[in-house]
Amino acid sequence: MKALVFSSTKKLIYKTVPKPKLKKNETLIKVLATGICGSDMHAFNGLDKVKKKPPIILGHEVIGINLQKNKYCAINPIISCSKCEYCKKNMEHLCSKLSMIGMTKPIKKNGGFAEFLSIPKSNVLNIPKNKNLYNFTLIEPTAVALHAINLSKKHIDKDLSKLNILIIGAGSIGLLIALILKSKKINKLNMVDFNFKKLEIAKKHTNTSIFQPHQKKLLQQSFDIIYDAVGTNNSREQALNLIKSGGLIMHIGLSEINKGINFLKLTRNEVKLIGSYAYTNKEFKNSLTMISKNKLGNLSWKSFTNLKNGQKIFESINTGKSISPKIILTP
Ligand SMILES: [Zn+2]
Ligand SMILES: [Zn+2]
């Protein structure tokens, strides 16, 4: 089969590789489309040498055809043990044996930037075949956004619709957080990003107020909840500068993983800082339902290109030439 193999830092090679061999309880998927995630970019740039060490086939936002049943499907990329204390509490994303497709640790498991993929049958969810079939490639990032929102509700005892909310990052996660909140009639939303073109796309689809990080109109405000979908030293610093006393920062992005936290403000202003990672199996299913019921609008802001162009497209995301919030590769 053809695959886009992550071979070394900043190098993806489109080449022929053996078809995946099936393990017990697995099924073979013919891949239709796989979205590029920020964490794939992170790996490409050599910033994840443990969990996504080359050589590996990246990609975990996958839809395809389950060849055993000849049905269209989405893949939940998180492989959990179903036995540990977290799995028993339906918190599979914290499973003590968690592995994921497109990752090398704890188990090496190739991802979806290929023609075929092997996956445990329990990770396969049927999707309807209709004209919006390719919207389902957004289930995974939608689930990430939904989890962050659900978790934020647990940590703030106020009605979200009455709060001033800031989303840092106009990529797919930021956009999906805005779209999910809008679908729940939470409308006082603000978004900040360096890239003005990305902000314009976000404004068009979500109608949030948009700002660049140094704009006065942003810096004059303070926020009850901030969703940081970027996770750099700068974004964390901005989040702490703009959060209200007693406010809540949800940390989702993982672009840089140290520094940028003002513990003086965190402590004196009793700011809540909560990490949000992935999603539960239930949230993944709920995201599938939201997309199949068109709850998030037309989702036309995603774009497609052939798997062959992988190297070029990863480079153009790096240089900022590519501004689409979600680029999807098709084999
Ligand atoms: Zn992802
Ligand atoms: Zn487990």
Side-chain angles (χ1 to χ4, degrees):
M1 68 166 181
K2 288 289 187 194
L4 188 68
V5 181
F6 174 42
S7 312
S8 58
T9 299
K10 298 196 177 173
K11 196 85 211 147
L12 297 163
I13 302 177
Y14 182 71
K15 63 177 182 182
T16 305
V17 300
K19 243 182 173 180
K21 286 196 189 92
L22 294 187
K23 291 193 189 131
K24 209 180 140 205
N25 295 325
E26 283 192 339
T27 183
L28 192 66
I29 306 295
K30 181 177 163 48
V31 176
L32 289 176
T34 303
I36 301 175
C37 175
S39 66
D40 296 321
M41 293 309 302
H42 207 238
F44 177 73
N45 288 322
L47 299 172
D48 189 352
K49 292 205 164 117
V50 180
K51 291 210 159 169
K52 296 187 177 187
K53 193 176 161 212
I56 177 94
I57 299 171
L58 299 168
H60 56 266
E61 303 174 2
V62 188
I63 62 162
I65 299 169
N66 180 355
L67 293 175
Q68 204 177 50
K69 299 198 164 163
N70 207 17
K71 277 200 167 135
Y72 288 93
C73 65
I75 306 300
N76 181 342
I78 292 181
I79 302 166
S80 49
C81 76
S82 76
K83 293 184 187 90
C84 73
E85 58 174 311
Y86 299 102
C87 286
K88 279 184 187 157
K89 284 190 277 185
N90 303 318
M91 297 162 82
E92 302 84 2
H93 62 303
L94 300 180
C95 172
S96 52
K97 291 193 174 145
L98 180 136
S99 65
M100 199 158 168
I101 62 169
M103 264 194 192
T104 36
K105 267 218 163 146
I107 298 163
K108 183 174 172 176
K109 183 89 182 143
N110 277 323
F113 295 143
E115 283 184 289
F116 297 94
L117 169 82
S118 65
I119 187 82
K121 288 174 194 165
S122 53
N123 287 62
V124 178
L125 287 92
N126 291 337
I127 52 175
K129 195 210 169 200
N130 58 34
K131 65 175 172 29
N132 295 325
L133 178 69
Y134 285 80
N135 281 352
F136 292 103
T137 48
L138 294 176
I139 294 175
E140 204 267 353
T142 302
V144 171
L146 180 64
H147 180 66
I149 292 169
N150 286 344
L151 202 54
S152 64
K153 283 184 190 158
K154 273 190 200 165
H155 290 278
I156 203 140
D157 53 356
K158 289 173 200 148
D159 179 357
L160 261 60
S161 66
K162 295 192 173 69
L163 302 180
N164 201 20
I165 296 175
L166 177 68
I167 298 162
I168 303 181
S172 61
I173 301 296
L175 218 63
L176 286 161
I177 289 173
L179 289 170
I180 295 170
L181 290 173
K182 291 248 155 178
S183 77
K184 297 177 191 295
K185 307 271 178 283
I186 297 158
N187 291 312
K188 259 172 88 181
L189 302 178
N190 304 275
M191 192 179 280
V192 57
D193 198 297
F194 278 104
N195 190 320
F196 195 69
K197 284 186 183 159
K198 275 189 171 179
L199 283 173
E200 280 182 317
I201 297 174
K203 176 149 185 85
K204 188 177 152 202
H205 292 276
T206 64
N207 201 28
T208 57
S209 304
I210 53 171
F211 303 95
Q212 286 180 295
H214 302 295
Q215 255 177 277
K216 235 187 186 165
K217 277 192 179 159
L218 173 70
L219 303 181
Q220 285 163 344
Q221 295 189 60
S222 58
F223 299 91
D224 302 280
I225 304 181
I226 298 179
Y227 295 94
D228 182 354
V230 175
T232 57
N233 298 337
N234 283 336
S235 70
R236 282 186 286 273
E237 207 179 306
Q238 177 139 62
L240 265 164
N241 284 337
L242 297 180
I243 195 76
K244 276 189 191 172
S245 291
L248 172 66
I249 298 172
M250 298 302 298
H251 193 261
I252 310 155
L254 282 175
S255 300
E256 292 171 331
I257 46 177
N258 51 13
K259 297 192 269 183
I261 294 184
N262 175 352
F263 281 103
L264 185 69
K265 171 145 183 193
L266 186 91
T267 306
R268 280 193 182 154
N269 295 63
E270 298 191 349
V271 171
K272 299 181 202 69
L273 174 65
I274 308 285
S276 179
Y277 176 68
Y279 37 81
T280 65
N281 287 351
K282 191 176 162 208
E283 284 163 337
F284 194 88
K285 281 182 194 149
N286 289 347
S287 298
L288 191 161
T289 308
M290 274 197 290
I291 290 175
S292 68
K293 290 186 174 166
N294 274 328
K295 295 269 190 220
L296 305 179
N298 69 10
L299 304 175
S300 63
W301 40 268
K302 61 193 181 307
S303 62
F304 296 88
T305 187
N306 193 279
L307 194 57
K308 263 185 241 172
N309 307 324
Q311 174 73 27
K312 237 192 271 168
I313 209 76
F314 271 68
E315 281 172 5
S316 76
I317 296 171
N318 254 350
T319 58
K321 230 172 98 187
S322 208
I323 53 153
S324 169
K326 179 60 75 185
I327 299 170
I328 294 160
L329 300 180
T330 55

